[in-house]
Amino acid sequence: MSTENPPPEQAASSSEDAETTPASDAPKGGSGKLLALLFGVAAVGLVLDVITKIAVVAHLEGNPPLKVLGGLFYLDVLRNPGAAFSMATGLTWLLALLAIAVVGVIVWLAPKLRSPGWAVGLGLVLGGACGNLGDRLFRAPGPLQGHVVDFLSFLAPGGQVFPVFNVADSCITCGGILVVLLSLLGRDYDGTVHRKQKKADQS
C-alpha cells in the first residue's frame, strides 16, 4: 500500500480557509481596573462639562462673545434644544431618551470589557452623554425638554464656521472616533484581536 502527500495546492488552500484569527491580548481578571478606567474617564469628562457650563452661564450668558486663544475659539453661550452640533432641534425628548439608552448600554457592557482602549472610548461617550443628559433633565424649559448649554464656537462667533458645541459634545465625538478606530483595527471590546492571515503564494 502506498501513501501520497497532499498536493501543494491543497495545503496552500487550507491556510486560506480563515482570513482572521481571534486572540485575546488582555490579561484575565483585569476587568476591575478597566471598570475604574472607564468610570474614571467618564467622571472627569462629566465634571469638566458641568463646571464649564456653570461658569459660562454665570459669567458669559447674555454678554458678547469672548475671544480666546487669539480667535481660535469664541466663548459664545447658546441654548441648544437639539443634539450635538445643533442637529434634530425639534426632538429634545427623544434625544433625552436616546441618551438614557446609551448610558444603559455602556453600563451593561462595562463588566465585559477587556480592552483599555475601549474603556477610554466608552468612558468618554458615557461622560459626554451624562453631561448633556443632565441639561435635558434639569434645565429649562423642563424635564426631557431642557436645552443644552453650548459655548465653544470655532474660529468665529455664533457658529459661523462650525456649529457651537460644548465639552460633552467633544467627549462623545472623541470617544466615538476611538471606538470606531479600534473596531477598524480589529480590536474588540472583550480584548479579542482579529488579524488577517497572509494568503499563500500559489505560483
Side-chain angles (χ1 to χ4, degrees):
M1 179 181 290
S2 61
T3 59
E4 297 180 357
N5 293 326
E9 292 80 8
Q10 183 178 351
S13 62
S14 63
S15 65
E16 299 172 9
D17 291 341
E19 292 185 355
T20 61
T21 54
S24 177
D25 63 346
K28 293 182 179 180
S31 59
K33 293 181 179 179
L34 294 180
L35 284 174
L37 177 61
L38 186 153
F39 290 111
V41 169
V44 170
L46 176 59
V47 169
L48 287 176
D49 182 63
V50 171
I51 289 176
T52 53
K53 286 174 178 175
I54 291 174
V56 297
V57 168
H59 300 288
L60 298 177
E61 191 168 30
N63 295 324
L66 178 65
K67 180 190 294 187
V68 296
L69 299 178
L72 180 63
F73 287 99
Y74 286 79
L75 299 181
D76 191 6
V77 183
L78 302 174
R79 299 291 182 126
N80 175 19
F85 309 125
S86 300
M87 297 184 292
T89 55
L91 300 172
T92 307
W93 64 272
L94 181 59
L95 295 170
L97 295 179
L98 180 60
I100 293 173
V102 169
V103 171
V105 169
I106 294 176
V107 171
W108 172 80
L109 189 63
K112 308 176 189 298
L113 286 176
R114 294 297 183 275
S115 166
W118 273 83
V120 172
L122 292 180
L124 287 170
V125 174
L126 178 61
C130 289
N132 283 341
L133 178 60
D135 284 1
R136 299 191 195 285
L137 292 177
F138 302 114
R139 293 190 184 275
L144 298 182
Q145 299 289 335
H147 294 181
V148 173
V149 175
D150 290 333
F151 59 91
L152 291 170
S153 186
F154 183 62
L155 292 179
Q160 299 175 39
V161 176
F162 191 80
V164 185
F165 59 99
N166 56 38
V167 173
D169 296 334
S170 301
C171 289
I172 292 171
T173 301
C174 293
I177 291 173
L178 178 56
V179 167
V180 170
L181 180 60
L182 290 170
S183 298
L184 293 176
L185 293 175
R187 296 180 177 272
D188 291 343
Y189 68 91
D190 61 357
T192 301
V193 180
H194 300 277
R195 298 185 180 89
K196 289 187 177 181
Q197 292 182 335
K198 295 181 178 179
K199 293 186 176 180
D201 186 3
Q202 296 184 0
S203 59

